[in-house]
Amino acid sequence: MIVTKESKYTVVEAAYKRIENLFSNGIKIYFSFSGGKDSLCLAYILLDLIQKRRIDPALLHVHFIDEEAIFPCIEETVKKWRKKFLMAGATFTWFCVQVRHFNCLNSLQDDESFICWDEEKKDAWVRPKPSFAVSSHPLLKERKDTYQQFLERVEADGISIIAARAEESIQRKKYMAKISNVTLGGKCYPIYDWTDNDVWLFIKNHHIEIPDIYMYMWQAGTSKKDLRVSQFFSIDTAKQLVKLNEFYPDLMERVTRREPNAYLVSLYWDTEMFRRSSRTRRQLQKEGGEEKKDYKREVLKILSNIPSNFRTEHERKIALSYKKLCIKAAPLIREREWKKIYEALITGDPKRRMLRAVIQDIYSKARRET
């Protein structure tokens, strides 16, 4: 069970104190900077504390993992903050290395098959590497590591501070609720208790310049909770490709050259291929005369023959996890959960994120009704 507690400090005051406490240990502090809104808030606090001489900049090592397929405004924002940190006396390392990403456009397979800065596809890179970028590292397992695995090794001799927040997902909230302390080689989340409103208010009050893409997304009707920026090929952020031509007319062409299946998003975004359940999709289904699916029946049909319906060993392991859930919790599963399970099985759930969310939904409802 997740327990929330009141504090005598505001979330901003608490973030400042957490960071000061970390630096008081006199060990290396690593900051994973992304250029996104949460990361910008944490970067501002760090720079503010340095300028007020409350933390030692020599202890701070900022890491940016350049994912190649990023918005131009994100690149420009990171460049500006790189200059700020370097001028303040901190270390800033910009990595352009061959790490793996899950690619939901690669036939929606389960492997993280998009290789950032793939040397085998150098002619199709979305953009050139910055001249100052680091392209290799002795601790990197090229083309095998995810950036998280790589950074865990690089930052093992210090403490990593990360601009992740509990409000972003129930899985993240449950994980952070278990954190009781920070140890050497551990991770710290100074703004874990900030809400979306806290983030945007902090940005407004401190006049922090944000990447243009946030304004483009807001103007295009993106809700506040969905104003998230990442590389283009994950199931959570692929929707950015739908309006990419409106934001940056030449970027979609470069993205498609790098990942030919990117056009699938514009064609099939409002379908179950991308787990969509929008009003537009429901209207199209109604006009097309589609019958309402019996999702429970469809799920049981798919899971009745896992070896034939799933191509890889990893896909079959994920399907088996869903099958165990269906057997164990069948009486508690509602139609909406059956639908989520069905779409996860169709589109793939390589990191079991949807599985964890469905489990949370099922048992939360069961507890409320008992």
Side-chain angles (χ1 to χ4, degrees):
M1 184 175 70
I2 299 172
V3 178
T4 58
K5 298 179 181 179
E6 293 291 331
S7 171
K8 63 180 180 180
Y9 302 111
T10 68
V11 291
V12 174
E13 291 170 340
Y16 270 82
K17 289 183 179 295
R18 290 169 189 142
I19 293 173
E20 284 191 85
N21 289 339
L22 287 179
F23 278 82
S24 68
N25 294 304
I27 62 176
K28 287 183 179 180
I29 303 295
Y30 294 99
F31 170 37
S32 297
F33 184 59
S34 70
K37 64 183 191 302
D38 300 338
S39 196
L40 285 170
C41 291
L42 193 46
Y44 180 94
I45 295 174
L46 285 164
L47 202 58
D48 189 31
L49 287 170
I50 290 173
Q51 291 168 346
K52 292 176 178 176
R53 300 183 182 277
R54 289 159 60 181
I55 61 174
D56 182 1
L59 297 175
L60 179 60
H61 300 262
V62 185
H63 288 160
F64 172 62
I65 300 292
D66 189 330
E67 298 173 300
E68 183 194 337
I70 62 175
F71 292 106
C73 58
I74 293 291
E75 181 180 8
E76 290 306 310
T77 296
V78 178
K79 284 181 178 178
K80 290 177 182 178
W81 280 89
R82 172 180 177 269
K83 185 176 181 179
K84 291 180 181 181
F85 278 117
L86 290 175
M87 290 180 67
T91 300
F92 193 111
T93 308
W94 187 305
F95 288 108
C96 288
V97 290
Q98 295 185 79
V99 290
R100 293 187 304 129
H101 266 303
F102 169 65
N103 180 6
C104 73
L105 303 177
N106 187 15
S107 302
L108 300 182
Q109 293 182 37
D110 62 357
D111 60 329
E112 296 179 291
S113 55
F114 178 77
I115 307 295
C116 296
W117 305 108
D118 191 341
E119 287 292 335
E120 297 176 7
K121 299 179 180 179
K122 193 171 182 177
D123 293 340
W125 283 352
V126 175
R127 38 180 270 276
K129 290 182 181 180
S131 59
F132 48 77
V134 173
S135 298
S136 62
H137 194 282
L139 295 178
L140 172 68
K141 298 178 181 178
E142 287 190 342
R143 309 178 68 84
K144 295 181 180 180
D145 278 343
T146 61
Y147 77 83
Q148 295 95 332
Q149 292 169 330
F150 169 55
L151 287 182
E152 281 184 2
R153 291 193 212 99
V154 174
E155 301 175 357
D157 61 341
I159 294 176
S160 304
I161 54 176
I162 303 170
R165 297 183 293 114
E167 189 182 61
E168 293 181 299
S169 70
I170 185 63
Q171 292 81 22
R172 187 167 285 176
K173 182 177 290 187
K174 289 173 67 177
Y175 170 74
M176 291 182 179
K178 299 176 182 178
I179 298 173
S180 59
N181 58 9
V182 177
T183 59
L184 192 67
K187 297 179 176 64
C188 179
Y189 305 86
I191 63 170
Y192 80 94
D193 49 358
W194 289 30
T195 65
D196 288 334
N197 286 339
D198 292 325
V199 170
W200 291 114
L201 183 60
F202 188 84
I203 288 171
K204 176 179 180 294
N205 288 344
H206 295 86
H207 309 289
I208 301 173
E209 184 180 356
I210 60 174
D212 292 337
I213 186 59
Y214 284 111
M215 293 306 299
Y216 295 156
M217 292 168 67
W218 178 256
Q219 291 165 358
T222 303
S223 66
K224 183 170 60 177
K225 67 181 179 64
D226 290 328
L227 288 173
R228 302 175 66 182
V229 178
S230 181
Q231 58 93 12
F232 303 138
F233 308 132
S234 71
I235 194 69
D236 299 321
T237 55
K239 60 184 175 184
Q240 295 168 350
L241 293 171
V242 176
K243 295 183 178 291
L244 193 57
N245 270 325
E246 297 179 28
F247 304 150
Y248 295 101
D250 67 323
L251 183 55
M252 186 62 179
E253 181 181 347
R254 287 183 278 135
V255 168
T256 305
R257 185 174 68 247
R258 179 70 166 87
E259 175 46 69
N261 288 332
Y263 76 94
L264 288 172
V265 182
S266 59
L267 293 177
Y268 301 112
W269 175 245
D270 260 317
T271 70
E272 63 190 20
M273 177 182 287
F274 293 99
R275 302 181 192 163
R276 291 283 285 164
S277 185
S278 68
R279 182 182 302 175
T280 303
R281 171 183 165 186
R282 292 192 295 270
Q283 182 62 30
L284 289 172
Q285 289 175 331
K286 183 178 180 180
E287 292 174 356
E290 291 186 30
E291 294 183 7
K292 183 178 179 181
K293 275 191 174 72
D294 182 337
Y295 289 104
K296 179 179 179 180
R297 183 180 63 187
E298 293 295 327
V299 166
L300 297 180
K301 180 179 178 182
I302 293 171
L303 294 178
S304 66
N305 193 348
I306 291 177
S308 297
N309 292 329
F310 298 92
R311 291 169 293 179
T312 70
E313 184 61 29
H314 186 68
E315 283 182 339
R316 289 190 280 272
K317 286 182 179 179
I318 301 298
L320 185 59
S321 297
Y322 275 98
K323 185 173 184 178
K324 290 178 179 177
L325 172 65
C326 293
I327 293 173
K328 182 179 179 181
L332 303 175
I333 304 177
R334 299 166 294 178
E335 179 66 11
R336 58 182 294 182
E337 277 87 40
W338 284 115
K339 180 180 179 182
K340 288 180 180 179
I341 293 171
Y342 168 77
E343 294 187 343
L345 292 172
I346 294 296
T347 64
D349 188 19
K351 298 179 181 179
R352 291 181 170 88
R353 287 176 176 169
M354 181 59 72
L355 177 62
R356 293 193 295 270
V358 169
I359 292 173
Q360 177 69 23
D361 288 345
I362 292 171
Y363 290 107
S364 292
K365 178 179 180 293
R367 284 194 295 269
R368 289 195 302 270
E369 294 178 350
T370 55

